[in-house]
Amino acid sequence: MAESNFIDYVKVLCRSGKGGAGSRHFHRAKYVPKGGPDGGDGGRGGHIILRGNAHMWTLLPLRYRRHIFAGNGESGSGGRSFGKDGEDVTVDVPCGTVVFDAETGEFLCEVTADGEEVKLLRGGRGGLGNWHFKSPTNRTPRYAQPGEPAIEKSIIMELKLLADVGLVGFPNAGKSTLLSAISAARPKIADYPFTTMEPQLGIVEYRDGRSFVMADIPGIIEGASEGRGLGLRFLRHIERNAVLLFMVPADADDIKQQYEVLAAELEKFNPQLADKPRVLAISKSDMLDDELKAEIIPDLPEGLPYVFISAVTGTGITALKDMLWSEITDERNRIEVTPITHRPLDGHHRVREEDEFIFENVPVSDADEEWDEDEDWDDVEADDIDLDWEYGVNDEPAPSDGRE
């Protein structure tokens, strides 16, 4: 899949910005002998923000952007001057992107709508300057607060395509042929298994200018939920579909048995898929006459809507569109994005070449580690000041005469 432009799984190293240090400056002027503390606060570190972009359909840009670092906050200075906030980094991702922790496989967040923004990593808060700590009993606080450290996390982004109808079937069931017949999509079609190597999307025109989106994924075989074939890698793309269209060819030995195998693999992958509306399309039915169809109907799964179709001759295509539109517009499917429970990433659901990708740990630059004279602080006891993160205090008492 390295040569394909359709990338739906990437591993990225992210780091938010660290907060700037507060200043321990004292006001000094010719005619102001006791100016007092006036150290400003440090700026906050930059956030890492994900933003949904409806014009993107692949994670390809992130394949060549393996490190995403936000800007650090600047330190405060004298005169209660606050440090500048670190620059936020906004990353555009396709709608339907799901983010996992690369180390634990834990689900972190998802982006499903165009323009939706999710704060992935929060920048560190800036430290408080010494003027916050002055009091009647401590007029010359000689300490300030350091900024919060940056948050670094290795993440995995998965793309789960947003479509109304998902095509499910064994290899050579006619899925690509159907998609090319009812939409403008042009997937590869050939007489050998696994012709489709990546998901395909097509917009299907319906009556009165209405339309819906259909997604075709590579063929599923028995054992796909355990890693066999290509289906496991792409099964995620039908998790968000409102309706599942099962396709079984008319020349199959046992149509019901093939349907049950496909349904079992989906439920093993994600048990929530068992609750989605389903339609059964018996493809390649142009080689069946009415008598053979009558013999097949009693053996079909009970309670499942079905239709005999032929993408070559156009038989049953209109009835199929009507059936799919009825399911899509059903009350239970009138939500913008079908909510799903994302299972944590495990060994079966990872892409090995991405998991073995080696990051070059980019160290913080020397410039970031340099301290100003105003940033030089001593350790502060956590009990002395009620703050949310660790910092230090200089235990040296203030001079008895009040001079700085």
Side-chain angles (χ1 to χ4, degrees), residues 166-230:
L167 289 173
V168 182
F170 283 95
N172 282 357
K175 303 186 300 299
S176 298
T177 305
L178 174 64
L179 186 65
S180 64
I182 63 177
S183 74
R186 291 296 174 261
K188 184 178 180 180
I189 300 172
D191 59 354
Y192 55 85
F194 297 110
T195 308
T196 301
M197 298 295 292
E198 60 188 43
Q200 301 284 338
L201 287 178
I203 299 177
V204 181
E205 293 185 1
Y206 191 60
R207 296 187 177 95
D208 302 327
R210 295 171 292 181
S211 63
F212 57 88
V213 180
M214 181 177 288
D216 175 24
I217 67 170
I220 299 173
I221 60 175
E222 190 170 3
S225 60
E226 300 173 358
R228 295 185 60 196
L230 295 175

Coordinates of all heavy atoms in Angstrom, one line a residue, residues 166-230:
G166 N -22.7 1.1 2.9 CA -21.4 0.4 2.9 C -21.6 -1.0 2.2 O -22.5 -1.7 2.5
L167 N -20.8 -1.3 1.2 CA -20.9 -2.5 0.4 C -20.1 -3.6 1.2 O -18.9 -3.4 1.4 CB -20.4 -2.4 -1.0 CG -21.2 -1.5 -1.9 CD1 -20.5 -1.3 -3.3 CD2 -22.6 -2.3 -2.2
V168 N -20.7 -4.8 1.4 CA -20.0 -5.9 2.1 C -20.2 -7.1 1.3 O -21.3 -7.4 0.8 CB -20.6 -6.1 3.5 CG1 -19.9 -7.2 4.2 CG2 -20.6 -4.8 4.3
G169 N -19.1 -7.8 1.0 CA -19.2 -9.1 0.2 C -17.9 -9.7 0.1 O -16.8 -9.2 0.4
F170 N -17.9 -11.0 -0.4 CA -16.7 -11.7 -0.7 C -16.1 -11.2 -1.9 O -16.7 -10.4 -2.7 CB -17.1 -13.2 -0.9 CG -17.3 -13.9 0.4 CD1 -18.6 -14.1 0.8 CD2 -16.3 -14.5 1.1 CE1 -18.9 -14.8 2.0 CE2 -16.5 -15.2 2.3 CZ -17.8 -15.3 2.8
P171 N -14.8 -11.5 -2.2 CA -14.2 -11.1 -3.4 C -14.9 -11.6 -4.6 O -15.5 -12.7 -4.6 CB -12.8 -11.7 -3.3 CG -12.5 -11.9 -1.9 CD -13.8 -12.2 -1.3
N172 N -15.0 -10.8 -5.7 CA -15.7 -11.1 -6.9 C -17.2 -11.2 -6.7 O -17.8 -12.0 -7.5 CB -15.1 -12.4 -7.6 CG -13.8 -12.1 -8.3 OD1 -13.3 -11.0 -8.3 ND2 -13.2 -13.1 -8.8
A173 N -17.8 -10.5 -5.8 CA -19.2 -10.5 -5.6 C -19.9 -9.5 -6.5 O -21.1 -9.5 -6.6 CB -19.6 -10.3 -4.1
G174 N -19.1 -8.7 -7.2 CA -19.7 -7.6 -8.0 C -19.9 -6.3 -7.4 O -20.6 -5.4 -7.9
K175 N -19.2 -6.0 -6.3 CA -19.4 -4.8 -5.6 C -18.9 -3.6 -6.4 O -19.5 -2.6 -6.6 CB -18.6 -4.8 -4.3 CG -19.0 -5.9 -3.3 CD -18.4 -5.8 -2.0 CE -16.9 -5.9 -2.0 NZ -16.4 -7.2 -2.6
S176 N -17.7 -3.7 -7.0 CA -17.1 -2.7 -7.8 C -17.9 -2.4 -9.1 O -18.1 -1.3 -9.5 CB -15.6 -3.0 -8.2 OG -14.8 -3.1 -7.0
T177 N -18.4 -3.5 -9.7 CA -19.3 -3.4 -10.9 C -20.5 -2.6 -10.6 O -20.9 -1.7 -11.3 CB -19.6 -4.8 -11.4 OG1 -18.4 -5.5 -11.6 CG2 -20.4 -4.7 -12.7
L178 N -21.1 -2.9 -9.4 CA -22.4 -2.2 -9.0 C -22.0 -0.7 -8.8 O -22.8 0.2 -9.3 CB -22.9 -2.8 -7.7 CG -24.1 -2.0 -7.1 CD1 -25.3 -2.0 -8.1 CD2 -24.5 -2.6 -5.8
L179 N -20.9 -0.4 -8.1 CA -20.6 1.0 -7.8 C -20.4 1.8 -9.1 O -20.8 2.9 -9.2 CB -19.4 1.1 -6.9 CG -19.0 2.4 -6.4 CD1 -20.0 3.0 -5.5 CD2 -17.6 2.4 -5.7
S180 N -19.7 1.1 -10.1 CA -19.4 1.8 -11.3 C -20.7 2.0 -12.2 O -20.8 2.9 -13.0 CB -18.4 1.0 -12.1 OG -18.9 -0.2 -12.5
A181 N -21.7 1.1 -12.0 CA -22.9 1.2 -12.7 C -23.9 2.3 -12.2 O -24.6 2.9 -13.0 CB -23.6 -0.2 -12.7
I182 N -23.9 2.6 -10.9 CA -24.9 3.5 -10.4 C -24.3 4.8 -9.9 O -25.0 5.7 -9.4 CB -25.6 2.8 -9.2 CG1 -24.7 2.5 -8.1 CG2 -26.4 1.6 -9.7 CD1 -25.4 1.9 -6.8
S183 N -22.9 5.0 -10.1 CA -22.3 6.2 -9.7 C -21.2 6.6 -10.8 O -21.0 5.8 -11.7 CB -21.7 6.1 -8.3 OG -20.5 5.4 -8.4
A184 N -20.6 7.7 -10.6 CA -19.5 8.1 -11.5 C -18.1 7.5 -11.1 O -17.1 7.8 -11.7 CB -19.4 9.6 -11.6
A185 N -18.1 6.8 -10.0 CA -16.8 6.2 -9.6 C -16.4 5.1 -10.6 O -17.2 4.5 -11.2 CB -17.0 5.5 -8.2
R186 N -15.1 5.0 -10.7 CA -14.5 4.1 -11.7 C -13.5 3.2 -11.0 O -12.3 3.3 -11.2 CB -13.8 4.8 -12.8 CG -14.8 5.5 -13.8 CD -15.7 4.5 -14.5 NE -16.8 5.2 -15.2 CZ -18.0 5.4 -14.8 NH1 -18.4 4.9 -13.6 NH2 -18.9 5.9 -15.6
P187 N -13.9 2.3 -10.1 CA -13.0 1.3 -9.5 C -12.5 0.3 -10.5 O -13.1 0.1 -11.5 CB -13.9 0.7 -8.4 CG -15.3 0.8 -8.9 CD -15.3 2.0 -9.7
K188 N -11.4 -0.3 -10.1 CA -10.8 -1.3 -11.0 C -11.7 -2.6 -10.9 O -12.1 -3.0 -9.8 CB -9.4 -1.7 -10.5 CG -8.6 -2.7 -11.3 CD -7.2 -2.9 -10.8 CE -6.5 -3.9 -11.7 NZ -5.1 -4.2 -11.2
I189 N -11.9 -3.2 -12.1 CA -12.8 -4.3 -12.2 C -12.0 -5.4 -13.0 O -11.5 -5.1 -14.1 CB -14.1 -4.0 -12.9 CG1 -14.9 -3.0 -12.1 CG2 -15.0 -5.3 -13.1 CD1 -16.1 -2.4 -12.8
A190 N -11.9 -6.6 -12.4 CA -11.2 -7.7 -13.1 C -11.8 -9.0 -12.6 O -12.6 -9.1 -11.6 CB -9.7 -7.6 -12.9
D191 N -11.4 -10.1 -13.3 CA -12.0 -11.4 -13.0 C -11.1 -12.2 -12.0 O -11.0 -13.5 -12.1 CB -12.2 -12.3 -14.2 CG -10.9 -12.4 -15.0 OD1 -9.9 -11.9 -14.6 OD2 -10.9 -13.2 -16.0
Y192 N -10.4 -11.5 -11.1 CA -9.6 -12.2 -10.1 C -9.9 -11.6 -8.7 O -10.4 -10.4 -8.6 CB -8.1 -12.2 -10.4 CG -7.6 -10.8 -10.6 CD1 -7.2 -10.0 -9.5 CD2 -7.5 -10.2 -11.8 CE1 -6.7 -8.7 -9.7 CE2 -7.0 -9.0 -12.0 CZ -6.6 -8.2 -10.9 OH -6.1 -6.9 -11.1
P193 N -9.7 -12.4 -7.6 CA -10.1 -11.8 -6.3 C -9.2 -10.6 -5.9 O -8.1 -10.4 -6.3 CB -9.8 -13.0 -5.3 CG -9.7 -14.2 -6.2 CD -9.2 -13.7 -7.6
F194 N -9.8 -9.9 -4.9 CA -9.1 -8.7 -4.4 C -8.6 -7.7 -5.4 O -7.5 -7.2 -5.4 CB -7.9 -9.1 -3.5 CG -8.3 -10.0 -2.3 CD1 -7.9 -11.3 -2.2 CD2 -9.0 -9.4 -1.2 CE1 -8.3 -12.1 -1.2 CE2 -9.3 -10.2 -0.2 CZ -9.0 -11.5 -0.1
T195 N -9.5 -7.5 -6.4 CA -9.2 -6.4 -7.4 C -9.2 -5.1 -6.7 O -8.4 -4.2 -7.0 CB -10.3 -6.5 -8.5 OG1 -10.4 -7.8 -9.0 CG2 -9.9 -5.5 -9.6
T196 N -10.2 -4.9 -5.8 CA -10.2 -3.6 -5.0 C -9.2 -3.7 -3.9 O -9.3 -4.5 -3.0 CB -11.6 -3.4 -4.4 OG1 -12.6 -3.4 -5.5 CG2 -11.7 -2.1 -3.7
M197 N -8.2 -2.7 -4.0 CA -7.1 -2.7 -3.0 C -7.3 -1.6 -1.9 O -6.6 -1.5 -1.0 CB -5.8 -2.6 -3.7 CG -5.5 -3.7 -4.6 SD -5.3 -5.3 -3.7 CE -3.7 -5.0 -2.8
E198 N -8.2 -0.7 -2.2 CA -8.5 0.4 -1.3 C -9.9 0.8 -1.4 O -10.6 0.6 -2.4 CB -7.5 1.6 -1.6 CG -7.7 2.2 -2.9 CD -6.7 3.2 -3.3 OE1 -5.5 3.0 -3.0 OE2 -7.1 4.2 -3.9
P199 N -10.5 1.4 -0.3 CA -11.9 1.8 -0.4 C -12.2 2.8 -1.5 O -11.3 3.6 -1.9 CB -12.1 2.5 1.0 CG -11.1 1.9 1.9 CD -9.9 1.7 1.0
Q200 N -13.4 2.7 -2.1 CA -13.8 3.6 -3.1 C -15.2 4.2 -2.7 O -16.0 3.6 -2.1 CB -14.0 2.8 -4.4 CG -12.8 2.1 -4.9 CD -11.8 3.1 -5.6 OE1 -12.2 4.2 -6.0 NE2 -10.5 2.7 -5.6
L201 N -15.3 5.5 -3.0 CA -16.6 6.2 -2.7 C -17.3 6.6 -4.0 O -16.6 7.0 -5.0 CB -16.3 7.5 -1.9 CG -15.9 7.3 -0.4 CD1 -15.7 8.6 0.2 CD2 -17.0 6.6 0.3
G202 N -18.6 6.5 -4.1 CA -19.3 7.0 -5.2 C -20.6 7.6 -4.8 O -21.2 7.3 -3.8
I203 N -21.0 8.7 -5.5 CA -22.3 9.4 -5.2 C -23.4 8.9 -6.1 O -23.2 9.0 -7.4 CB -22.1 10.9 -5.4 CG1 -21.0 11.4 -4.4 CG2 -23.4 11.6 -5.2 CD1 -20.7 12.9 -4.6
V204 N -24.4 8.3 -5.5 CA -25.5 7.7 -6.3 C -26.6 8.6 -6.4 O -27.1 9.2 -5.4 CB -25.9 6.4 -5.6 CG1 -27.0 5.7 -6.4 CG2 -24.8 5.4 -5.4
E205 N -27.0 8.9 -7.7 CA -28.1 9.8 -7.9 C -29.4 9.1 -7.7 O -29.6 8.0 -8.1 CB -28.1 10.4 -9.3 CG -26.8 11.3 -9.6 CD -26.9 11.9 -11.0 OE1 -27.9 11.6 -11.7 OE2 -26.0 12.6 -11.3
Y206 N -30.4 9.9 -7.0 CA -31.7 9.3 -6.8 C -32.7 10.3 -7.4 O -32.4 11.2 -8.1 CB -31.9 9.1 -5.3 CG -33.1 8.3 -4.9 CD1 -33.3 7.0 -5.4 CD2 -34.1 8.9 -4.1 CE1 -34.4 6.3 -5.0 CE2 -35.2 8.1 -3.8 CZ -35.4 6.9 -4.2 OH -36.5 6.1 -3.9
R207 N -34.0 10.0 -7.1 CA -35.0 10.9 -7.7 C -35.0 12.3 -7.2 O -34.6 12.5 -6.1 CB -36.4 10.2 -7.4 CG -36.6 8.8 -8.1 CD -38.0 8.4 -7.9 NE -38.3 7.1 -8.5 CZ -38.2 5.9 -7.9 NH1 -37.9 5.9 -6.6 NH2 -38.4 4.8 -8.5
D208 N -35.5 13.2 -8.0 CA -35.7 14.6 -7.6 C -34.4 15.3 -7.2 O -34.4 16.1 -6.2 CB -36.8 14.7 -6.5 CG -38.1 14.1 -6.9 OD1 -38.4 14.2 -8.2 OD2 -38.8 13.6 -6.1
G209 N -33.3 14.9 -7.8 CA -32.0 15.6 -7.5 C -31.4 15.1 -6.2 O -30.4 15.7 -5.8
R210 N -32.0 14.1 -5.5 CA -31.4 13.6 -4.3 C -30.3 12.6 -4.6 O -30.3 12.0 -5.6 CB -32.5 13.0 -3.4 CG -33.5 14.0 -2.9 CD -34.7 13.4 -2.2 NE -35.5 12.6 -3.2 CZ -36.6 11.9 -2.8 NH1 -37.0 11.9 -1.6 NH2 -37.3 11.2 -3.8
S211 N -29.4 12.4 -3.6 CA -28.3 11.5 -3.8 C -27.9 10.9 -2.4 O -28.2 11.5 -1.4 CB -27.2 12.2 -4.5 OG -26.7 13.2 -3.7
F212 N -27.1 9.9 -2.5 CA -26.5 9.3 -1.3 C -25.1 8.8 -1.7 O -24.8 8.6 -2.8 CB -27.4 8.3 -0.6 CG -27.7 7.1 -1.5 CD1 -26.9 6.0 -1.6 CD2 -28.9 7.1 -2.2 CE1 -27.3 4.9 -2.4 CE2 -29.3 6.1 -3.0 CZ -28.4 4.9 -3.1
V213 N -24.3 8.6 -0.6 CA -22.9 8.2 -0.8 C -22.8 6.7 -0.5 O -23.3 6.2 0.5 CB -21.9 9.0 0.1 CG1 -20.5 8.5 -0.2 CG2 -22.0 10.4 -0.2
M214 N -22.1 5.9 -1.4 CA -21.9 4.5 -1.3 C -20.4 4.2 -1.2 O -19.6 4.8 -2.0 CB -22.5 3.7 -2.4 CG -22.4 2.2 -2.3 SD -23.2 1.4 -3.7 CE -24.9 1.6 -3.2
A215 N -20.0 3.4 -0.2 CA -18.6 3.1 -0.1 C -18.3 1.6 -0.3 O -19.1 0.7 0.1 CB -18.1 3.4 1.4
D216 N -17.3 1.3 -1.1 CA -16.9 -0.1 -1.5 C -15.6 -0.3 -0.8 O -14.6 0.4 -0.9 CB -16.8 -0.2 -3.0 CG -16.3 -1.6 -3.4 OD1 -16.4 -2.5 -2.6 OD2 -15.7 -1.7 -4.5
I217 N -15.5 -1.5 -0.1 CA -14.2 -1.8 0.6 C -13.8 -3.2 0.0 O -14.5 -3.9 -0.7 CB -14.4 -2.0 2.1 CG1 -15.3 -3.2 2.4 CG2 -14.9 -0.7 2.7 CD1 -15.3 -3.5 3.9
P218 N -12.5 -3.5 0.1 CA -12.0 -4.8 -0.4 C -12.8 -5.9 0.1 O -13.4 -5.9 1.2 CB -10.5 -4.8 0.1 CG -10.1 -3.4 0.2 CD -11.4 -2.7 0.6
G219 N -12.8 -7.0 -0.7 CA -13.6 -8.2 -0.3 C -13.2 -8.8 1.0 O -12.0 -8.8 1.4
I220 N -14.2 -9.3 1.7 CA -14.0 -9.9 3.1 C -14.0 -11.4 2.9 O -14.8 -12.0 2.1 CB -15.1 -9.5 4.0 CG1 -15.1 -8.0 4.2 CG2 -15.0 -10.2 5.4 CD1 -16.3 -7.4 5.0
I221 N -13.1 -12.1 3.6 CA -13.1 -13.6 3.6 C -13.3 -14.1 5.0 O -13.2 -13.3 6.0 CB -11.8 -14.1 3.0 CG1 -10.6 -13.6 3.8 CG2 -11.7 -13.7 1.5 CD1 -9.3 -14.2 3.4
E222 N -13.6 -15.3 5.2 CA -13.7 -15.9 6.5 C -12.4 -15.7 7.3 O -11.4 -16.1 6.8 CB -14.2 -17.3 6.4 CG -14.6 -17.9 7.8 CD -15.2 -19.3 7.6 OE1 -15.3 -19.8 6.5 OE2 -15.7 -19.8 8.7
G223 N -12.5 -15.2 8.5 CA -11.3 -15.0 9.3 C -10.8 -13.6 9.2 O -9.7 -13.3 9.7
A224 N -11.5 -12.7 8.4 CA -11.0 -11.3 8.2 C -10.8 -10.6 9.6 O -9.9 -9.8 9.7 CB -11.9 -10.6 7.3
S225 N -11.7 -10.9 10.5 CA -11.6 -10.2 11.8 C -10.4 -10.6 12.6 O -10.1 -9.9 13.6 CB -12.9 -10.5 12.6 OG -13.0 -11.8 12.9
E226 N -9.7 -11.7 12.2 CA -8.5 -12.1 12.9 C -7.3 -11.8 12.1 O -6.2 -12.2 12.4 CB -8.6 -13.6 13.1 CG -9.8 -14.0 14.0 CD -10.0 -15.5 14.1 OE1 -9.2 -16.2 13.5 OE2 -10.9 -15.9 14.8
G227 N -7.4 -11.1 11.0 CA -6.3 -10.6 10.2 C -6.1 -11.3 8.9 O -5.1 -11.0 8.2
R228 N -7.0 -12.1 8.4 CA -6.8 -12.7 7.1 C -7.3 -11.8 6.0 O -8.3 -11.1 6.2 CB -7.6 -14.1 7.1 CG -7.1 -15.1 8.0 CD -7.8 -16.5 7.8 NE -7.6 -16.9 6.4 CZ -8.4 -17.9 5.9 NH1 -9.4 -18.4 6.6 NH2 -8.2 -18.3 4.6
G229 N -6.6 -11.9 4.9 CA -7.1 -11.1 3.7 C -6.8 -9.6 4.0 O -6.1 -9.2 4.8
L230 N -7.5 -8.8 3.1 CA -7.4 -7.3 3.2 C -8.6 -6.7 4.0 O -8.5 -5.5 4.4 CB -7.4 -6.7 1.8 CG -6.2 -7.0 0.9 CD1 -6.4 -6.4 -0.4 CD2 -4.9 -6.5 1.5

